[in-house]
Amino acid sequence: MTDLTLAPNMAAPDRSYADLIAAHEGLTKEQSDALNARLILILMNHVGDESVIRAAIDAARLE
Amino acid sequence: MGKSFHTPLYPYARHPDQDASAPVRHPVIVIGAGPVGLACAIDLAQRGVPVVVLDDNDKVSEGSRAICFSKRTLEICDRLGLGDPLVDKGVVWNTGKVFFGDRKVYDFNLLPEEGHKRPAFINLQQYYLEQGLVARLMALSAEGAEVSIRGRNRVTSVTSHADHVALSVETPEGAYPLEADWLIACDGASSPTRTMMNLEFDGRVFEDNFLIADVTMQADFPTERWFWFDPPFNRGQSALLHKQPDGVWRIDLQLGRGIDKAEEKRPENVIPRLKAMLGPDVPFELEWVSIYTFQCRRMERFRHGRVVFAGDSAHQVSPFGARGANSGIQDADNLCWKLAMVLDGAAPETLIDSYEAERGFAADENIWHSTRSTDFITPKSETSRIFRDAVLDLSERHAFARPLVNSGRLSVVSSYAGIALTGPDEGGPVAGQPGRVCPDAPLTSGPLLDRLFSGFTLLTIDADAPDQVTDGALSAARLALSVSDDPTGALAERLLGDAPSAVYLIRPDQHIAARFAVFDDAKVRAALRQATGQEAA
């Protein structure tokens, strides 16, 4: 089991963030919501590990 | 043939019990002649236990109802002596297709593993299963078994005592009392027995309405399960098309919430919906229509003194996944050998508590899966729907998303690993882990499951052992096999692995109680005691 990485890990954080925002440009709220959902599912599958996914969900809750 | 449910199969006939001066006591009374009650009666009768089935009706159930019967149900029916006619009549299917909006997003194949006698599923109207069960019960009775069904015998009161149950039974010729050492309540999701005993039935109620229509048509749809999310002919809802014998098709349309059920059931409202789905040029006849909502719930306890609940009376799930009737048949499979041993004095009454532990665990699994399927098919929030649609959109392009599509997780049999009766495991393939059903294998002498005994089986593979192991009133008979008995290698793959030998103790319901590397008398006898509730792990 690996731990969830919450330390900086993106090779090009500014560019990746810009890519994310750019992907939503011109989309309606509905299209954006759908894109986000697909993106989350793709990244979840890439992570794979159940405990890491659960830790990520917990971290996202900001509790 | 499809209208066979109109014929009384076990019409009311006056029984001498009705004229007895004192209530007549029977070892076992079963309430309800549905699939679960009939399976219980046959199983008990085959084990030499006299049993009386009381049913408020006198015919099989109306409409197709449960249509999808699993491999395990067929294996149990083999043990009950009616597997062949069911499989001969049923429709075997392996392929499922999933549609989203106006396009097919993917298809799946159940890809049944080779070397099993029975297919993964057959589709068959419930009334055919019930007819088969009634015929088998009557054949047993004709052969001299003490088993009978009393039609139009409605139980109106149930009083549980320490060592028996007292019943009042209403008939067309008035009421009479009966007593039973044990009562099995198989009287369905709205169980009158449960109500009479003031027992709770808690869980989650789902508000969406579904329309079931059985239609007869000569259409060239393939023998596949087709499931639609948000189809053009039923926007925002779901639909299912599934083939049954006799050219009958099951169509299941989600209608949503807050509808007028009586209005929606009228043919003039149903037929346009079906035409929109099937196309304007497909002629069809409406055979049966029903509108239902469903619940996922269970009783906290399945055993209340000498009253035991089995099937829908004890636990209820949504239809998605074929987990209702199939799990009920497994309840019967689990309960009857235990009850026969208790009545025979070979096992303590507490063995019946293991029925509750094992089948309660299975019920929780089924409810969990059924609830997840229902949440996927009918999302309960906007976000839930967004993710559902995202899964479906991705499933068209990417394999990873397909396991997330949930149009019903099809019934698989639960393992009783970790529950009190399940004994030691000295290692071997996963398929043969104690708690699981013994996997089938194509022996040259026939399917392995057909070779197991009605009592405990001591299955040895290339291992020495005596022909019989006994411990007090308990015994297990040996089935001596060798890897060479299965040239396909399935036996070795499923039950032996890399080991040179294996010894399995298999319960009367074909679940594996324990497995050992070699035969050890003391270990096998301890496992036998544990499997009958007489020794803790």
Side-chain angles (χ1 to χ4, degrees):
Chain A
M1 193 194 88
T2 40
D3 289 335
L4 175 69
T5 302
L6 290 169
N9 190 45
M10 283 184 257
D14 285 346
R15 279 205 300 277
S16 293
Y17 187 81
D19 284 346
L20 175 66
I21 300 306
H24 286 276
E25 260 170 39
L27 299 188
T28 63
K29 172 80 169 76
E30 195 180 332
Q31 289 166 332
S32 267
D33 285 347
L35 178 82
N36 279 336
R38 292 195 295 270
L39 183 61
I40 288 168
L41 291 166
I42 288 166
L43 294 175
M44 273 172 72
N45 179 66
H46 185 81
V47 171
D49 188 292
E50 183 184 4
S51 61
V52 175
I53 291 170
R54 189 170 297 137
I57 291 169
D58 287 343
R61 274 196 245 265
L62 301 181
E63 279 167 357
Chain B
M1 279 196 70
K3 302 293 189 285
S4 52
F5 45 80
H6 295 311
T7 314
L9 283 186
Y10 40 94
Y12 169 76
R14 192 172 187 87
H15 191 276
D17 284 1
Q18 292 168 254
D19 301 309
S21 54
V24 175
R25 172 91 59 102
H26 294 273
V28 178
I29 290 176
V30 173
I31 304 181
V36 182
L38 292 168
C40 283
I42 292 167
D43 204 346
L44 289 165
Q46 289 190 161
R47 297 182 186 285
V49 177
V51 49
V52 176
V53 181
L54 304 176
D55 194 43
D56 61 359
N57 207 319
D58 57 7
K59 39 177 107 63
V60 295
S61 55
E62 185 173 342
S64 59
R65 297 164 65 102
I67 59 159
C68 208
F69 296 99
S70 71
K71 174 172 176 286
R72 184 61 199 148
T73 292
L74 300 174
E75 290 166 354
I76 294 167
C77 287
D78 277 334
R79 204 171 57 64
L80 299 180
L82 68 142
D84 286 339
L86 299 182
V87 176
D88 290 347
K89 181 76 194 170
V91 171
V92 177
W93 62 276
N94 289 312
T95 301
K97 287 192 176 133
V98 176
F99 301 84
F100 181 37
D102 54 8
R103 66 199 199 275
K104 186 187 92 177
V105 286
Y106 79 104
D107 45 38
F108 63 88
N109 191 321
L110 295 175
L111 280 180
E113 196 183 49
E114 291 293 310
H116 293 260
K117 180 179 176 186
R118 294 310 184 191
F121 283 95
I122 63 164
N123 283 1
L124 184 72
Q125 293 88 330
Q126 181 173 326
Y127 49 77
Y128 282 128
L129 173 65
E130 292 181 11
Q131 272 176 25
L133 289 161
V134 169
R136 174 64 183 150
L137 186 147
M138 289 179 171
L140 282 167
S141 173
E143 289 164 18
E146 289 181 70
V147 58
S148 59
I149 315 181
R150 297 185 192 174
R152 298 178 71 191
N153 272 237
R154 186 168 60 88
V155 176
T156 55
S157 81
V158 173
T159 311
S160 191
H161 298 279
D163 67 345
H164 74 281
V165 185
L167 309 173
S168 300
V169 185
E170 188 66 41
T171 75
E173 295 182 302
Y176 72 104
L178 273 180
E179 290 179 358
D181 291 337
W182 290 88
L183 178 72
I184 311 178
C186 309
D187 47 357
S190 59
S191 172
T193 308
R194 201 180 57 224
T195 307
M196 285 185 274
M197 292 177 71
N198 288 314
L199 297 169
E200 306 265 324
F201 199 41
D202 291 329
R204 216 172 127 187
V205 177
F206 294 84
E207 290 167 41
D208 277 85
N209 291 277
F210 287 81
L211 170 82
I212 284 185
D214 277 351
V215 302
T216 313
M217 57 178 175
Q218 297 308 322
D220 53 3
F221 298 110
T223 305
E224 299 173 344
R225 177 187 196 262
W226 288 8
F227 197 99
W228 287 263
F229 293 94
D230 194 16
F233 55 83
N234 197 26
R235 272 293 169 206
Q237 313 285 351
S238 68
L240 174 71
L241 178 69
H242 224 172
K243 190 179 190 181
Q244 305 171 43
D246 306 336
V248 177
W249 298 77
R250 160 68 63 83
I251 292 167
D252 205 324
L253 292 171
Q254 183 190 353
L255 298 182
R257 305 178 184 194
I259 60 151
D260 182 338
K261 284 194 191 191
E263 192 61 26
E264 289 291 349
K265 241 176 109 164
R266 295 160 69 97
E268 59 263 41
N269 289 318
V270 173
I271 287 168
R273 286 183 181 281
L274 299 179
K275 274 194 192 297
M277 175 174 179
L278 301 170
D281 305 325
V282 177
F284 62 87
E285 257 180 72
L286 211 47
E287 189 169 284
W288 179 63
V289 177
S290 173
I291 290 184
Y292 66 94
T293 54
F294 51 79
Q295 287 87 37
C296 287
R297 52 185 176 168
R298 59 166 285 185
M299 296 178 76
E300 191 187 348
R301 311 292 311 266
F302 294 173
R303 179 191 169 193
H304 292 265
R306 292 294 186 93
V307 182
V308 185
F309 291 82
D312 281 356
S313 72
H315 45 77
Q316 193 185 3
V317 292
S318 80
F320 305 109
R323 290 169 179 270
N326 287 306
S327 71
I329 299 283
Q330 288 164 40
D331 287 352
D333 188 44
N334 187 289
L335 175 62
C336 291
W337 67 270
K338 295 174 180 176
L339 198 50
M341 287 189 85
V342 170
L343 282 161
D344 206 27
E349 203 173 310
T350 50
L351 180 58
I352 305 304
D353 293 330
S354 75
Y355 160 76
E356 180 175 287
E358 293 180 337
R359 296 311 301 165
F361 172 78
D364 288 344
E365 260 188 6
N366 286 323
I367 287 170
W368 192 88
H369 282 292
S370 178
T371 303
R372 298 286 83 72
S373 301
T374 305
D375 284 343
F376 194 89
I377 293 164
T378 61
K380 300 299 178 291
S381 69
E382 191 191 348
T383 302
S384 179
R385 178 177 292 276
I386 289 167
F387 274 109
R388 198 279 305 269
D389 290 351
V391 165
L392 290 167
D393 278 328
L394 288 167
S395 73
E396 189 176 5
R397 289 162 190 253
H398 305 297
F400 89 85
R402 290 168 200 160
L404 297 173
V405 175
N406 193 340
S407 65
R409 293 276 179 256
L410 293 169
S411 175
V412 289
V413 61
S414 298
S415 167
Y416 304 141
I419 307 181
L421 300 191
T422 304
D425 180 8
E426 293 185 355
V430 171
Q433 276 174 352
R436 292 173 171 248
V437 171
C438 180
D440 206 355
L443 309 179
T444 44
S445 56
L448 170 60
L449 292 182
D450 286 352
R451 300 280 309 277
L452 299 178
F453 303 113
S454 61
F456 278 87
T457 301
L458 185 72
L459 169 64
T460 61
I461 304 174
D462 295 321
D464 290 327
D467 289 340
Q468 186 90 13
V469 178
T470 55
D471 187 281
L474 305 173
S475 70
R478 181 187 181 201
L479 173 61
L481 297 180
S482 165
V483 282
S484 61
D485 288 329
D486 175 8
T488 72
L491 177 71
E493 185 194 317
R494 290 164 199 168
L495 292 174
L496 194 60
D498 301 327
S501 68
V503 173
Y504 284 83
L505 181 66
I506 299 172
R507 311 186 334 180
D509 59 10
Q510 302 180 338
H511 279 258
I512 295 164
R515 72 172 162 188
F516 308 95
V518 294
F519 176 75
D520 179 305
D521 185 61
K523 285 183 186 173
V524 169
R525 285 165 55 191
L528 200 48
R529 290 193 297 274
Q530 186 182 346
T532 50
Q534 309 182 50
E535 188 163 304

